[in-house]
Amino acid sequence: MGILSQLSIFHLLWAALVLCQYEDYDFEDEYDGEPDHQQPYYFNPATQAEAPRFPFPVECARECFCPPAFPLSMYCDHRKLKTIPNIPSHVQQLYLQNNDIEAVPAGPFTNVTFVREINLSYNKIKFHRIDHGVFAKLSNLVQLHLQHNELEEFPFPLPSSLERLLLGFNKISQLPGTALEGLPNITMLDLCNNLLDDSALKGKPFANMKNLVQLNLCNNKLETMPPDLPSSLMHLSLENNSISYIPENYFNRLPKIIALRMSHNNLQNIPRNTFNLPNLLELNLGHNKLKQVFYIPRSLQHLYIENNDIENINVTLMCPTIDPLNINQLTYIRVDQNKLTSPMSSYAFFCFPLIRTIYYGEQNITVNKATRLRSPVFRRFLTPEEYQEAEDNHETHDHGTEEDDEAEDNYFHPYFQ
């Protein structure tokens, strides 16, 4: 084998090693217990901004790592850095997560022109330590990670190019009226695990975000539904708040909603046609105070209403009519930790002919005692392999702790297919 062939093989192995080590920068580890079907977002190198050609080796900050296989990326993560190093002008992806950085001064970004992604998560950054306009001048910035910091305020101004903004696990309590102005391209905004209450949303900060697809407001202090959400919204996360009701016709202006998660709230009653949404696939209302079920749209596939106060599942409310030409798509229902004394009526299988699993689990029939129905799990139409997989999944669930169950429901994964 010639020297050139050996060098080519070595280069390929090196590239593979670097890719395996650094390609995954999603939140799957940060927010535990996410469903397997939700795929993380990966930065697409094909979308990199046009940058001037440069000879190898490229310039790199001495505190960081710039792999030859990815010359437009600079990795400065997990290095106990207290300050941001100077950033070469050609860098497009900058990874500074898991350090001890407290400030974002303008100096290191002086010559930055092409940067598209900045990850500053898991640091100690405060709002007043961010130089005014330091991000706004980055006209190619598409994705900004600032979750798990110490931000007390929304970090504005920001560049109009921004598409994904992640601010979870901070101390943000207000959204000034101008905070989200000038961000027409935002598709995903994560504000989970902050200190937002109803007063912070009085200015209707999301109303003009015409391209917003995913909004995460879980683990805040909201008592009412957020006002005037844009009609472009497809994924809405409101888990772990204190919302007690959903206004009638609230979702009329949100016809594109695919996934809605409102577990761990104080909902007691759902108006009959609240969820009459043509595209809804997943609805999670577990861990509320519901006493009865409600209308199920034909598109819905997964329904979670566990840990409520439901004594009887009235299938007629869920499915008032049967249309053989337009059947209901529901395949999975979770109803454990309610007050059911008997399984669902067999009429359910006419209304929902695609049902594969109904998870009854344990029921809270008496105050101090949980009772398991004769059939804790109903399944049908499963192949042997699918049945064994389902058995394994529920065996794992049965041995989990209450904390594990809560962790599983706690966060709406920021990334979807």
Side-chain angles (χ1 to χ4, degrees):
M1 184 182 295
I3 294 177
L4 289 177
S5 298
Q6 293 180 17
L7 288 174
S8 298
I9 293 173
F10 175 77
H11 185 266
L12 287 172
L13 290 173
W14 170 254
L17 176 63
V18 171
L19 178 61
C20 291
Q21 183 176 359
Y22 289 99
E23 70 170 350
D24 190 358
Y25 281 92
D26 63 69
F27 285 178
E28 197 159 321
D29 293 332
E30 298 172 20
Y31 310 118
D32 296 334
E34 301 308 327
D36 291 337
H37 68 275
Q38 295 175 351
Q39 301 297 323
Y41 171 87
Y42 294 103
F43 191 87
N44 183 4
T47 64
Q48 293 180 342
E50 190 66 30
R53 297 186 177 276
F54 39 80
F56 290 95
V58 296
E59 183 184 357
C60 186
R62 61 181 179 81
E63 302 94 331
C64 307
F65 172 51
C66 299
F70 302 95
L72 302 181
S73 302
M74 189 163 80
Y75 297 93
C76 315
D77 53 296
H78 296 83
R79 293 167 190 266
K80 298 182 179 179
L81 299 179
K82 295 185 180 297
T83 59
I84 297 176
N86 287 328
I87 305 163
S89 60
H90 69 273
V91 168
Q92 290 193 20
Q93 292 87 47
L94 176 63
Y95 302 108
L96 286 157
Q97 67 270 32
N98 293 89
N99 282 296
D100 297 318
I101 297 170
E102 298 181 357
V104 183
F109 293 88
T110 301
N111 298 315
V112 175
T113 305
F114 300 101
V115 68
R116 292 176 58 82
E117 179 182 8
I118 298 176
N119 192 332
L120 279 162
S121 60
Y122 287 94
N123 279 287
K124 301 175 181 178
I125 300 169
K126 291 180 166 55
F127 173 78
H128 69 275
R129 300 293 304 278
I130 300 176
D131 279 7
H132 185 78
V134 63
F135 295 124
K137 74 161 194 169
L138 305 175
S139 58
N140 288 301
L141 189 63
V142 171
Q143 182 160 281
L144 178 59
H145 297 252
L146 282 168
Q147 67 275 19
H148 288 276
N149 276 283
E150 299 176 11
L151 298 174
E152 312 92 337
E153 298 183 38
F154 191 93
F156 67 98
L158 295 168
S160 61
S161 58
L162 205 59
E163 296 178 8
R164 302 171 67 85
L165 177 59
L166 299 112
L167 296 169
F169 293 92
N170 278 286
K171 302 174 182 178
I172 299 171
S173 60
Q174 294 295 325
L175 293 177
T178 57
L180 294 170
E181 289 183 1
L183 297 175
N185 296 307
I186 287 283
T187 61
M188 188 272 178
L189 177 60
D190 174 24
L191 284 163
C192 280
N193 292 86
N194 277 285
L195 303 175
L196 297 171
D197 59 18
D198 294 339
S199 66
L201 306 186
K202 281 185 177 179
K204 303 177 181 179
F206 312 116
N208 294 319
M209 304 182 76
K210 303 303 183 184
N211 290 307
L212 188 64
V213 172
Q214 181 172 338
L215 177 61
N216 295 350
L217 290 168
C218 58
N219 292 79
N220 277 284
K221 297 182 176 183
L222 301 179
E223 296 183 6
T224 61
M225 299 293 286
D228 284 343
L229 299 182
S231 60
S232 57
L233 205 62
M234 299 174 70
H235 306 278
L236 178 60
S237 165
L238 294 168
E239 306 101 308
N240 287 87
N241 280 286
S242 299
I243 299 172
S244 58
Y245 72 99
I246 301 174
E248 192 171 354
N249 301 322
Y250 178 83
F251 289 103
N252 283 4
R253 58 180 294 166
L254 299 174
K256 296 182 180 180
I257 288 286
I258 290 175
L260 174 63
R261 298 186 182 173
M262 293 189 64
S263 62
H264 296 271
N265 276 283
N266 295 324
L267 294 172
Q268 298 184 36
N269 182 49
I270 302 292
R272 181 182 174 279
N273 287 320
T274 296
F275 302 118
N276 189 12
L277 296 163
N279 297 298
L280 189 63
L281 300 179
E282 178 189 338
L283 177 59
N284 191 334
L285 297 176
H287 298 266
N288 277 282
K289 300 176 181 179
L290 300 177
K291 296 185 182 299
Q292 66 177 15
V293 291
F294 38 83
Y295 173 75
I296 301 298
R298 296 187 185 278
S299 60
L300 193 69
Q301 296 180 10
H302 297 133
L303 174 64
Y304 303 86
I305 49 175
E306 76 280 3
N307 228 298
N308 279 283
D309 296 325
I310 301 171
E311 297 181 0
N312 175 53
I313 295 180
N314 187 335
V315 179
T316 306
L317 284 177
M318 300 170 70
C319 171
T321 60
I322 298 177
D323 182 356
L325 300 179
N326 188 18
I327 64 173
N328 288 286
Q329 301 298 307
L330 193 66
T331 61
Y332 178 87
I333 310 176
R334 181 175 173 184
V335 294
D336 56 299
Q337 299 297 324
N338 277 284
K339 297 180 179 181
L340 302 178
T341 56
S342 60
M344 292 173 62
S345 164
S346 58
Y347 178 64
F349 305 112
F350 292 97
C351 277
F352 308 112
L354 301 182
I355 280 186
R356 296 162 65 95
T357 303
I358 303 174
Y359 182 56
Y360 291 106
E362 292 184 341
Q363 298 294 320
N364 298 322
I365 297 175
T366 60
V367 176
N368 298 317
K369 184 179 179 180
T371 303
R372 186 179 291 272
L373 295 183
R374 179 174 296 180
S375 298
V377 183
F378 170 84
R379 299 192 184 93
R380 67 173 181 174
F381 307 135
L382 299 184
T383 66
E385 293 78 11
E386 290 173 327
Y387 185 88
Q388 186 58 50
E389 181 181 357
E391 285 292 321
D392 294 341
N393 288 342
H394 281 296
E395 181 179 347
T396 301
H397 174 81
D398 290 343
H399 286 85
T401 64
E402 183 176 347
E403 289 77 10
D404 293 334
D405 294 340
E406 291 187 4
E408 183 175 354
D409 292 328
N410 260 353
Y411 197 77
F412 190 31
H413 200 291
Y415 306 118
F416 287 85
Q417 291 179 333

PDB file of all heavy atoms in Angstrom, residues 115-130:
ATOM      1  N   VAL A 115     -20.042  33.485  11.718  1.00  0.00           N
ATOM      2  CA  VAL A 115     -20.531  32.537  12.718  1.00  0.00           C
ATOM      3  C   VAL A 115     -22.042  32.330  12.601  1.00  0.00           C
ATOM      4  O   VAL A 115     -22.816  33.276  12.472  1.00  0.00           O
ATOM      5  CB  VAL A 115     -20.149  32.985  14.149  1.00  0.00           C
ATOM      6  CG1 VAL A 115     -20.889  34.246  14.569  1.00  0.00           C
ATOM      7  CG2 VAL A 115     -20.368  31.860  15.141  1.00  0.00           C
ATOM      8  N   ARG A 116     -22.461  31.032  12.620  1.00  0.00           N
ATOM      9  CA  ARG A 116     -23.871  30.679  12.473  1.00  0.00           C
ATOM     10  C   ARG A 116     -24.431  30.031  13.743  1.00  0.00           C
ATOM     11  O   ARG A 116     -25.639  30.061  13.950  1.00  0.00           O
ATOM     12  CB  ARG A 116     -24.046  29.713  11.294  1.00  0.00           C
ATOM     13  CG  ARG A 116     -23.764  30.350   9.949  1.00  0.00           C
ATOM     14  CD  ARG A 116     -23.868  29.326   8.827  1.00  0.00           C
ATOM     15  NE  ARG A 116     -25.173  28.681   8.755  1.00  0.00           N
ATOM     16  CZ  ARG A 116     -26.235  29.211   8.161  1.00  0.00           C
ATOM     17  NH1 ARG A 116     -26.151  30.421   7.612  1.00  0.00           N
ATOM     18  NH2 ARG A 116     -27.375  28.554   8.130  1.00  0.00           N
ATOM     19  N   GLU A 117     -23.596  29.439  14.534  1.00  0.00           N
ATOM     20  CA  GLU A 117     -24.059  28.773  15.756  1.00  0.00           C
ATOM     21  C   GLU A 117     -23.106  29.077  16.903  1.00  0.00           C
ATOM     22  O   GLU A 117     -21.889  28.939  16.776  1.00  0.00           O
ATOM     23  CB  GLU A 117     -24.147  27.262  15.553  1.00  0.00           C
ATOM     24  CG  GLU A 117     -24.600  26.509  16.803  1.00  0.00           C
ATOM     25  CD  GLU A 117     -24.624  24.999  16.597  1.00  0.00           C
ATOM     26  OE1 GLU A 117     -24.156  24.522  15.552  1.00  0.00           O
ATOM     27  OE2 GLU A 117     -25.117  24.300  17.499  1.00  0.00           O
ATOM     28  N   ILE A 118     -23.681  29.483  18.044  1.00  0.00           N
ATOM     29  CA  ILE A 118     -22.892  29.727  19.258  1.00  0.00           C
ATOM     30  C   ILE A 118     -23.548  28.969  20.400  1.00  0.00           C
ATOM     31  O   ILE A 118     -24.745  29.126  20.656  1.00  0.00           O
ATOM     32  CB  ILE A 118     -22.825  31.231  19.606  1.00  0.00           C
ATOM     33  CG1 ILE A 118     -22.143  32.018  18.499  1.00  0.00           C
ATOM     34  CG2 ILE A 118     -22.102  31.441  20.936  1.00  0.00           C
ATOM     35  CD1 ILE A 118     -22.135  33.522  18.728  1.00  0.00           C
ATOM     36  N   ASN A 119     -22.748  28.167  21.074  1.00  0.00           N
ATOM     37  CA  ASN A 119     -23.261  27.418  22.228  1.00  0.00           C
ATOM     38  C   ASN A 119     -22.541  27.896  23.481  1.00  0.00           C
ATOM     39  O   ASN A 119     -21.365  27.602  23.688  1.00  0.00           O
ATOM     40  CB  ASN A 119     -23.051  25.921  22.037  1.00  0.00           C
ATOM     41  CG  ASN A 119     -23.831  25.106  23.052  1.00  0.00           C
ATOM     42  OD1 ASN A 119     -24.100  25.567  24.153  1.00  0.00           O
ATOM     43  ND2 ASN A 119     -24.183  23.882  22.692  1.00  0.00           N
ATOM     44  N   LEU A 120     -23.260  28.638  24.319  1.00  0.00           N
ATOM     45  CA  LEU A 120     -22.730  29.159  25.583  1.00  0.00           C
ATOM     46  C   LEU A 120     -23.500  28.576  26.773  1.00  0.00           C
ATOM     47  O   LEU A 120     -23.546  29.173  27.845  1.00  0.00           O
ATOM     48  CB  LEU A 120     -22.822  30.685  25.601  1.00  0.00           C
ATOM     49  CG  LEU A 120     -21.715  31.443  24.866  1.00  0.00           C
ATOM     50  CD1 LEU A 120     -22.136  32.874  24.570  1.00  0.00           C
ATOM     51  CD2 LEU A 120     -20.418  31.425  25.667  1.00  0.00           C
ATOM     52  N   SER A 121     -24.110  27.422  26.589  1.00  0.00           N
ATOM     53  CA  SER A 121     -24.894  26.815  27.665  1.00  0.00           C
ATOM     54  C   SER A 121     -23.987  26.326  28.794  1.00  0.00           C
ATOM     55  O   SER A 121     -22.793  26.134  28.615  1.00  0.00           O
ATOM     56  CB  SER A 121     -25.719  25.648  27.119  1.00  0.00           C
ATOM     57  OG  SER A 121     -24.876  24.650  26.563  1.00  0.00           O
ATOM     58  N   TYR A 122     -24.607  26.143  29.956  1.00  0.00           N
ATOM     59  CA  TYR A 122     -23.888  25.655  31.140  1.00  0.00           C
ATOM     60  C   TYR A 122     -22.675  26.529  31.476  1.00  0.00           C
ATOM     61  O   TYR A 122     -21.538  26.065  31.586  1.00  0.00           O
ATOM     62  CB  TYR A 122     -23.439  24.205  30.944  1.00  0.00           C
ATOM     63  CG  TYR A 122     -24.566  23.215  31.028  1.00  0.00           C
ATOM     64  CD1 TYR A 122     -25.219  22.797  29.872  1.00  0.00           C
ATOM     65  CD2 TYR A 122     -24.994  22.705  32.249  1.00  0.00           C
ATOM     66  CE1 TYR A 122     -26.271  21.900  29.928  1.00  0.00           C
ATOM     67  CE2 TYR A 122     -26.042  21.797  32.319  1.00  0.00           C
ATOM     68  CZ  TYR A 122     -26.675  21.403  31.162  1.00  0.00           C
ATOM     69  OH  TYR A 122     -27.714  20.495  31.227  1.00  0.00           O
ATOM     70  N   ASN A 123     -22.940  27.806  31.626  1.00  0.00           N
ATOM     71  CA  ASN A 123     -21.931  28.744  32.098  1.00  0.00           C
ATOM     72  C   ASN A 123     -22.532  29.559  33.246  1.00  0.00           C
ATOM     73  O   ASN A 123     -23.489  29.118  33.880  1.00  0.00           O
ATOM     74  CB  ASN A 123     -21.435  29.621  30.950  1.00  0.00           C
ATOM     75  CG  ASN A 123     -20.384  28.921  30.103  1.00  0.00           C
ATOM     76  OD1 ASN A 123     -19.244  28.745  30.532  1.00  0.00           O
ATOM     77  ND2 ASN A 123     -20.767  28.516  28.898  1.00  0.00           N
ATOM     78  N   LYS A 124     -21.991  30.749  33.509  1.00  0.00           N
ATOM     79  CA  LYS A 124     -22.457  31.567  34.636  1.00  0.00           C
ATOM     80  C   LYS A 124     -22.757  32.986  34.165  1.00  0.00           C
ATOM     81  O   LYS A 124     -22.496  33.967  34.871  1.00  0.00           O
ATOM     82  CB  LYS A 124     -21.402  31.588  35.738  1.00  0.00           C
ATOM     83  CG  LYS A 124     -21.061  30.194  36.287  1.00  0.00           C
ATOM     84  CD  LYS A 124     -19.926  30.244  37.296  1.00  0.00           C
ATOM     85  CE  LYS A 124     -19.588  28.869  37.822  1.00  0.00           C
ATOM     86  NZ  LYS A 124     -18.450  28.893  38.789  1.00  0.00           N
ATOM     87  N   ILE A 125     -23.308  33.110  32.982  1.00  0.00           N
ATOM     88  CA  ILE A 125     -23.491  34.413  32.348  1.00  0.00           C
ATOM     89  C   ILE A 125     -24.698  35.137  32.929  1.00  0.00           C
ATOM     90  O   ILE A 125     -25.776  34.562  33.063  1.00  0.00           O
ATOM     91  CB  ILE A 125     -23.655  34.242  30.830  1.00  0.00           C
ATOM     92  CG1 ILE A 125     -22.404  33.570  30.245  1.00  0.00           C
ATOM     93  CG2 ILE A 125     -23.919  35.578  30.155  1.00  0.00           C
ATOM     94  CD1 ILE A 125     -22.569  33.127  28.811  1.00  0.00           C
ATOM     95  N   LYS A 126     -24.514  36.394  33.268  1.00  0.00           N
ATOM     96  CA  LYS A 126     -25.590  37.273  33.725  1.00  0.00           C
ATOM     97  C   LYS A 126     -25.900  38.296  32.633  1.00  0.00           C
ATOM     98  O   LYS A 126     -25.031  38.665  31.841  1.00  0.00           O
ATOM     99  CB  LYS A 126     -25.196  37.983  35.018  1.00  0.00           C
ATOM    100  CG  LYS A 126     -25.108  37.072  36.236  1.00  0.00           C
ATOM    101  CD  LYS A 126     -24.719  37.871  37.467  1.00  0.00           C
ATOM    102  CE  LYS A 126     -24.936  37.094  38.755  1.00  0.00           C
ATOM    103  NZ  LYS A 126     -24.253  35.802  38.796  1.00  0.00           N
ATOM    104  N   PHE A 127     -27.153  38.773  32.611  1.00  0.00           N
ATOM    105  CA  PHE A 127     -27.573  39.689  31.562  1.00  0.00           C
ATOM    106  C   PHE A 127     -26.709  40.943  31.513  1.00  0.00           C
ATOM    107  O   PHE A 127     -26.283  41.375  30.439  1.00  0.00           O
ATOM    108  CB  PHE A 127     -29.045  40.077  31.766  1.00  0.00           C
ATOM    109  CG  PHE A 127     -29.518  41.157  30.832  1.00  0.00           C
ATOM    110  CD1 PHE A 127     -29.836  40.871  29.519  1.00  0.00           C
ATOM    111  CD2 PHE A 127     -29.628  42.475  31.274  1.00  0.00           C
ATOM    112  CE1 PHE A 127     -30.268  41.859  28.654  1.00  0.00           C
ATOM    113  CE2 PHE A 127     -30.059  43.471  30.413  1.00  0.00           C
ATOM    114  CZ  PHE A 127     -30.379  43.163  29.100  1.00  0.00           C
ATOM    115  N   HIS A 128     -26.441  41.535  32.665  1.00  0.00           N
ATOM    116  CA  HIS A 128     -25.701  42.803  32.675  1.00  0.00           C
ATOM    117  C   HIS A 128     -24.231  42.631  32.305  1.00  0.00           C
ATOM    118  O   HIS A 128     -23.521  43.612  32.131  1.00  0.00           O
ATOM    119  CB  HIS A 128     -25.823  43.487  34.046  1.00  0.00           C
ATOM    120  CG  HIS A 128     -25.110  42.775  35.151  1.00  0.00           C
ATOM    121  ND1 HIS A 128     -25.680  41.727  35.853  1.00  0.00           N
ATOM    122  CD2 HIS A 128     -23.863  42.952  35.669  1.00  0.00           C
ATOM    123  CE1 HIS A 128     -24.823  41.294  36.764  1.00  0.00           C
ATOM    124  NE2 HIS A 128     -23.719  42.018  36.672  1.00  0.00           N
ATOM    125  N   ARG A 129     -23.772  41.382  32.173  1.00  0.00           N
ATOM    126  CA  ARG A 129     -22.385  41.138  31.765  1.00  0.00           C
ATOM    127  C   ARG A 129     -22.293  40.838  30.264  1.00  0.00           C
ATOM    128  O   ARG A 129     -21.216  40.457  29.791  1.00  0.00           O
ATOM    129  CB  ARG A 129     -21.809  39.969  32.566  1.00  0.00           C
ATOM    130  CG  ARG A 129     -21.768  40.157  34.079  1.00  0.00           C
ATOM    131  CD  ARG A 129     -20.795  41.247  34.511  1.00  0.00           C
ATOM    132  NE  ARG A 129     -19.451  41.028  34.026  1.00  0.00           N
ATOM    133  CZ  ARG A 129     -18.552  40.215  34.621  1.00  0.00           C
ATOM    134  NH1 ARG A 129     -18.897  39.563  35.721  1.00  0.00           N
ATOM    135  NH2 ARG A 129     -17.340  40.077  34.132  1.00  0.00           N
ATOM    136  N   ILE A 130     -23.392  40.995  29.542  1.00  0.00           N
ATOM    137  CA  ILE A 130     -23.365  40.837  28.084  1.00  0.00           C
ATOM    138  C   ILE A 130     -23.276  42.218  27.460  1.00  0.00           C
ATOM    139  O   ILE A 130     -24.175  43.042  27.642  1.00  0.00           O
ATOM    140  CB  ILE A 130     -24.630  40.115  27.578  1.00  0.00           C
ATOM    141  CG1 ILE A 130     -24.752  38.719  28.205  1.00  0.00           C
ATOM    142  CG2 ILE A 130     -24.611  40.002  26.057  1.00  0.00           C
ATOM    143  CD1 ILE A 130     -26.038  37.989  27.828  1.00  0.00           C
TER     144      ILE A 130
END
